[in-house]
Amino acid sequence: EVQLVESGGGLVQPGRSLKLSCAASGFTFSDYNMAWVRQAPKKGLEWVATIIYDGSRTYYRDSVKGRFTISRDNAKSTLYLQMDSLRSEDTATYYCATVTKGYYFDYWGQGVMVTVSS
Amino acid sequence: DIQMTQSPASLSASLGETVTIECLASEDIYDILAWYQQKPGKSPQLLIYDASSLHTGVPSRFSGSGSGTQYSLKINSLQPEDFASYYCQNGLSAPLTFGSGTKLEIK
């Protein structure tokens, strides 16, 4: 059974940093592209970043480019999201997800809440 | 960026009814479209990909159709577990964009 378990969320002040992790199991992690998708409270879904299966390429939405870094450790079957210079508009539940055919998210974690507030 | 306009924003229906949710892309996305279901407090779940392919384990009462810029999700014979929010998603080009969602409620 595919399992994705996020951790590392919490309350952080604007301008500070936070690192999210996503532990994967039940599938061959190193075969899959992976992504982070977020959802602000009572709002819709927003793609954040994608990383290719071997970590060779990464893609970001414009609003997080230069502030967020997606990475992975295939030996540990773990996905990461380093978030720097956080803003109030980054407040959201962050989901990690597997990516298939370059675009659709077929398996999702339970999500982790990030609140950016002073 | 490709904009995805989803309608209606909310929908009330009864058990056993059939409903359709629409998604309009701002340009041709060549069937590179997915649909998700999200229940309150839960993560989204993939229903449909490539506009009309059913994801593993999804009941056959769900179906997707469309082409070009216009797509739809149809749910036949509504069951209690189908009352949730639904989102379409463009996959043609980055940034990957979602529709604003449709909340399906019990009448």
Side-chain angles (χ1 to χ4, degrees), chain A residues 4-9 18-24 29 32-37 48-52 55 57-60 64 67-84 94-97 112 114:
Chain A
L4 297 168
V5 180
E6 301 95 336
S7 60
L18 205 60
K19 186 172 186 176
L20 306 182
S21 299
C22 171
F29 181 73
Y32 277 79
N33 298 347
M34 296 293 297
W36 291 95
V37 177
V48 175
T50 295
I51 186 166
I52 300 304
R57 280 173 287 159
T58 56
Y59 305 89
Y60 300 91
V64 308
R67 301 188 299 121
F68 289 12
T69 303
I70 188 172
S71 62
R72 64 193 296 158
D73 184 337
N74 284 346
K76 294 183 178 178
S77 296
T78 302
L79 177 72
Y80 303 101
L81 185 67
Q82 175 68 44
M83 302 185 293
D84 298 324
Y94 285 73
Y95 298 99
C96 68
V112 63
V114 172

Side-chain angles (χ1 to χ4, degrees), chain A residues 31-50:
Chain A
D31 285 348
Y32 277 79
N33 298 347
M34 296 293 297
W36 291 95
V37 177
R38 68 185 180 185
Q39 186 170 35
K42 307 281 191 210
K43 298 292 186 183
L45 300 167
E46 185 174 81
W47 168 76
V48 175
T50 295

